[in-house]
Amino acid sequence: MASQPKTALITGAASGIGRHYAELYAQSNIPVAALDINKNGLESLAAQYPSITAFPVDMTDSLAVEKAVTAALKTLTSVDRVINAAAIMPCGDILSQDTADILKIMEINYGGLVNLTKAVLPSMINQGHGQYVVFSSMLGVMPTLKTGAYSASKFATSVFVEVLAQENIDSGVQFACVCPPAVNTPLLDQVRDTQWPKIMDETPIITIEDVTEAIETGLKKGRFWIYPGKTTYMGSLMRRLFPSAVWKHIQKVEQKA
Ligand SMILES: NC(=O)c1ccc[n+]([C@@H]2O[C@H](COP(=O)([O-])OP(=O)(O)OC[C@H]3O[C@@H](n4cnc5c(N)ncnc54)[C@H](O)[C@@H]3O)[C@@H](O)[C@H]2O)c1
């Protein structure tokens, strides 16, 4: 790994990318505060690695997040790297998704980040260093059909962390917004169980290692936007420069039998 933090606080640590990062750090004896709503998943992780402490918490509950972060700060003394990975991804046409489900996606994916930021970032700014790594998505820079609710939560995430980085540009904290395409994790089961957008078949599903490598390289090079995957950056450029052409293509792909 390119850069090793002294301590890490990871949300979404019970599964997928968050869990992988927690395990990587634990293997180097880096103390990790692992936050997730999945208590059993966290406990199985912490049972395997003594340097991981589990903090079961629902990221949508601002008071509970504040308490968990306060307890994590006591355990870690200070937080050197944050990885905000907690999210959900049920998909579907906006009109076919329940209003409550659409709002829940926003509450977890975006609201969770807001709660975490309020709870932990001031301590990192006070200490004058650290890395604040936030997971958006390719869908947080390029929307498509059937992912409107998820995309909206990830666009909100991208803008939130972009402004946060600019507002704290001289704080000594490094910010990064990670925008992966589809990654081989349990999150994709939520897409399969709801509505899988056909456009997602156009690019290969990448591995968790592809994501962590891109993050480490991006952080080392001081990049704010990190696009894991070979064609992700190009896709984001196409969307910015030729949005109508991109939508035309998406409509064509989605209409294919
Ligand atoms: N896997 C992909 O294809 C993909 C692509 C682009 C971006 N991302 C982003 O990467 C990040 C990590 O995703 P992943 O693929 O590892 O997903 P994952 O489903 O494997 O892990 C997400 C974790 O978040 C936790 N979580 C869900 N709701 C929570 C809540 N209310 N409070 C606390 N924890 C909660 C889950 O329990 C789970 O452990 C997410 O932000 C996701 O949006 C993933």
Side-chain angles (χ1 to χ4, degrees):
M1 197 182 301
S3 58
Q4 295 272 47
K6 289 189 183 72
T7 61
L9 184 149
I10 303 174
T11 77
S15 173
I17 302 167
R19 188 178 186 105
H20 180 79
Y21 255 123
E23 288 176 341
L24 269 185
Y25 294 153
Q27 282 152 13
S28 303
N29 283 322
I30 294 168
V32 174
L35 280 63
D36 204 292
I37 199 167
N38 176 354
K39 198 165 177 266
N40 291 341
L42 277 187
E43 278 167 3
S44 75
L45 181 67
Q48 268 177 283
Y49 301 98
S51 63
I52 297 182
T53 312
F55 296 95
V57 67
D58 179 347
M59 293 306 297
T60 66
D61 181 340
S62 58
L63 275 182
V65 171
E66 213 179 295
K67 268 193 193 163
V69 168
T70 304
L73 276 166
K74 271 194 190 138
T75 307
L76 301 178
T77 313
S78 70
V79 174
D80 200 24
R81 184 184 284 190
V82 163
I83 295 179
N84 184 51
I88 58 169
M89 191 181 177
C91 292
D93 301 340
I94 290 170
L95 287 182
S96 71
Q97 275 185 310
D98 286 345
T99 304
D101 292 341
I102 291 174
L103 295 176
K104 188 177 171 198
I105 294 169
M106 186 61 88
E107 209 186 344
I108 294 174
N109 298 4
Y110 171 65
L113 169 64
V114 175
N115 291 337
L116 178 74
T117 302
K118 291 287 196 173
V120 77
L121 189 60
S123 72
M124 296 173 78
I125 290 173
N126 272 344
Q127 76 197 10
H129 66 86
Q131 292 169 320
Y132 206 73
V133 180
V134 171
F135 273 92
S136 179
S137 167
M138 175 63 171
L139 293 167
V141 288
M142 178 169 149
T144 188
L145 299 173
K146 298 177 185 164
T147 63
Y150 178 78
S151 262
S153 76
K154 290 298 183 178
F155 265 76
T157 295
S158 299
V159 173
F160 181 86
V161 68
E162 184 177 4
V163 174
L164 197 62
Q166 290 298 322
E167 286 177 348
N168 296 287
I169 199 159
D170 296 322
S171 65
V173 178
Q174 179 182 10
F175 294 83
C177 183
V178 189
C179 304
V183 188
N184 190 12
T185 74
L187 190 80
L188 292 185
D189 293 338
Q190 296 178 34
V191 189
R192 291 184 189 102
D193 290 348
T194 50
Q195 279 192 48
W196 181 274
K198 288 185 190 143
I199 197 80
M200 279 173 61
D201 293 327
E202 288 216 324
T203 45
I205 295 176
I206 65 171
T207 65
I208 294 180
E209 287 77 10
D210 293 329
V211 177
T212 54
E213 263 175 44
I215 292 174
E216 297 314 314
T217 306
L219 287 174
K220 216 174 158 192
K221 292 188 172 171
R223 289 191 184 133
F224 173 76
W225 297 105
I226 297 178
Y227 296 100
K230 288 199 174 84
T231 57
T232 321
Y233 177 62
M234 189 50 74
S236 76
L237 267 189
M238 293 291 288
R239 151 72 191 177
R240 237 177 288 156
L241 298 175
F242 310 109
S244 307
V246 171
W247 272 121
K248 220 170 163 181
H249 178 67
I250 292 168
Q251 290 284 5
K252 207 170 132 195
V253 171
E254 223 49 54
Q255 276 154 22
K256 275 187 201 156

